[in-house]
Amino acid sequence: MSELVIDNLHASINGKEILKGVDLTIKPGEVHALMGPNGTGKSTLAYVLMGHPAYEITEGQVLFKGINILDLEPDQRSHLGLFLAFQYPVAIPGVSLANFLRTAINAQRRAADPNDKGMPIPEFRKLLKEKMDLLQMDHSFAGRYLNDGFSGGEKKRAEVLQMAALNPEIAIMDETDSGLDIDALRIVSEGVNTLRGPHLGVLVITHYQRILNYIKPEFVHIMMDGRIIESGGADLALQLEEHGYNWLRDKAETAII
Ligand code: ADP
Ligand code: MG
């Protein structure tokens, strides 16, 4: 079963505890949204799941396909079928988007079969063209250096293109909506919706409800101060939009009292 099970996850950076016991399970085919004010640990969760070396896990475990992935290197997690679309994608001058994608696809194939000779170029070109069309990206994009001088919207499209090409089983999208105008948001969301299916689980991390009008989640979780303090259906995001985060903060404080 390709479910992702986050169990009582605690993580620190520079000795400061950021994640304070996160529990979350994402099954294939499910779309979850993780919302919360800035600085509550949403990106930290994404980084920890992908294996960023700056974070120290102090408690808990993360199982994916029954394996505790906290023991794995980032590339091993990726080959297992985990994907992260970054909030702030990095530029790699000198490496074209096409080359980057081909390298990533071939590494994935080699991880599955050490004798794999790599994806034949014509097949790769076809795949790239197909996925770029899906995201309404100009084909000339593939020849540009990865994220080098890309606009905010172009960077996010490039992230979703990687996701489309790598075909993950669990995709974590960290603020993919930030920096997108409404047209780009619609195109990127449509791209994600086309990738949706029984074999893909998605965690959409967002500050705003807006993207959830396009990528409709089945589950919504609210994170505050390193913990998920409330979970519900899609209507929770709407309630939040209406009442603001203070509504939940008050609710959480009342619960503690
Ligand atoms: P979110 O994505 O929800 O906005 P982040 O996960 O980016 O939040 O950040 C969570 C907290 O971690 C913030 O309070 C931030 O200041 C803190 N933080 C991030 N990086 C470091 C660091 N290198 N050292 C200390 N604290 C950090
Ligand atoms: Mg963030």
Side-chain angles (χ1 to χ4, degrees), residues 38-92:
N38 279 327
T40 48
K42 303 185 298 299
S43 292
T44 301
L45 177 64
Y47 283 132
V48 165
L49 292 176
M50 284 319 292
H52 194 297
Y55 298 92
E56 191 197 348
I57 315 298
T58 51
E59 216 180 317
Q61 57 174 7
V62 179
L63 299 175
F64 180 42
K65 300 181 175 174
I67 299 167
N68 187 358
I69 59 162
L70 297 178
D71 299 332
L72 302 182
E73 295 299 323
D75 63 326
Q76 295 175 308
R77 302 181 195 203
S78 159
H79 298 152
L80 208 57
L82 203 59
F83 177 84
L84 169 64
F86 289 101
Q87 180 171 6
Y88 304 109
V90 291
I92 313 185

Side-chain angles (χ1 to χ4, degrees), residues 191-203:
V192 174
N193 285 333
T194 345
L195 303 176
R196 270 175 97 153
H199 301 295
L200 176 67
V202 186
L203 181 64

Side-chain angles (χ1 to χ4, degrees), residues 73-120:
E73 295 299 323
D75 63 326
Q76 295 175 308
R77 302 181 195 203
S78 159
H79 298 152
L80 208 57
L82 203 59
F83 177 84
L84 169 64
F86 289 101
Q87 180 171 6
Y88 304 109
V90 291
I92 313 185
V95 176
S96 73
L97 178 55
N99 260 331
F100 175 80
L101 284 174
R102 205 159 73 85
T103 307
I105 289 172
N106 287 341
Q108 191 183 45
R109 287 168 62 119
R110 258 194 314 278
D113 170 12
N115 295 320
D116 186 85
K117 297 279 182 288
M119 185 180 273

Side-chain angles (χ1 to χ4, degrees), residues 13-19 34-47 54-55 87-88 174-175 205 207 223 226:
I13 187 158
N14 295 334
K16 182 179 165 198
E17 186 172 56
I18 308 289
L19 300 183
L34 180 67
M35 303 183 73
N38 279 327
T40 48
K42 303 185 298 299
S43 292
T44 301
L45 177 64
Y47 283 132
Y55 298 92
Q87 180 171 6
Y88 304 109
D174 193 4
E175 307 243 355
I205 299 177
H207 188 75
M223 185 180 252

Side-chain angles (χ1 to χ4, degrees), residues 2-229:
S2 328
E3 63 181 22
L4 180 76
V5 182
I6 304 168
D7 174 22
N8 189 31
L9 186 62
H10 292 249
S12 308
I13 187 158
N14 295 334
K16 182 179 165 198
E17 186 172 56
I18 308 289
L19 300 183
K20 302 174 181 172
V22 176
D23 295 299
L24 180 63
T25 296
I26 302 174
K27 298 198 169 94
E30 292 179 352
V31 176
H32 293 246
L34 180 67
M35 303 183 73
N38 279 327
T40 48
K42 303 185 298 299
S43 292
T44 301
L45 177 64
Y47 283 132
V48 165
L49 292 176
M50 284 319 292
H52 194 297
Y55 298 92
E56 191 197 348
I57 315 298
T58 51
E59 216 180 317
Q61 57 174 7
V62 179
L63 299 175
F64 180 42
K65 300 181 175 174
I67 299 167
N68 187 358
I69 59 162
L70 297 178
D71 299 332
L72 302 182
E73 295 299 323
D75 63 326
Q76 295 175 308
R77 302 181 195 203
S78 159
H79 298 152
L80 208 57
L82 203 59
F83 177 84
L84 169 64
F86 289 101
Q87 180 171 6
Y88 304 109
V90 291
I92 313 185
V95 176
S96 73
L97 178 55
N99 260 331
F100 175 80
L101 284 174
R102 205 159 73 85
T103 307
I105 289 172
N106 287 341
Q108 191 183 45
R109 287 168 62 119
R110 258 194 314 278
D113 170 12
N115 295 320
D116 186 85
K117 297 279 182 288
M119 185 180 273
I121 304 255
E123 188 185 333
F124 173 71
R125 286 221 180 95
K126 186 164 163 282
L127 176 99
L128 187 60
K129 192 168 163 294
E130 194 185 293
K131 304 297 183 191
M132 291 184 96
D133 288 343
L134 174 74
L135 291 161
Q136 301 185 25
M137 292 170 87
D138 193 290
H139 292 177
S140 66
F141 231 83
R144 287 177 58 187
Y145 292 154
L146 184 66
N147 291 323
D148 194 22
F150 283 22
S151 71
E154 288 170 339
K155 284 183 186 169
K156 297 304 164 100
R157 267 188 233 197
E159 290 291 294
V160 179
L161 178 68
Q162 288 167 44
M163 174 175 157
L166 287 173
N167 227 346
E169 287 168 72
I170 297 282
I172 303 158
M173 311 183 67
D174 193 4
E175 307 243 355
T176 302
D177 48 341
S178 70
L180 293 188
D181 61 35
I182 201 77
D183 289 333
L185 179 66
R186 191 176 42 76
I187 293 162
V188 163
S189 303
E190 275 169 13
V192 174
N193 285 333
T194 345
L195 303 176
R196 270 175 97 153
H199 301 295
L200 176 67
V202 186
L203 181 64
V204 180
I205 299 177
T206 182
H207 188 75
Y208 298 108
Q209 193 269 338
R210 191 179 72 152
I211 192 175
L212 306 181
N213 290 330
Y214 298 92
I215 304 175
K216 296 219 156 58
E218 287 127 311
F219 305 94
V220 175
H221 313 275
I222 314 293
M223 185 180 252
M224 229 172 261
D225 194 23
R227 271 189 208 99
I228 290 174
I229 58 153

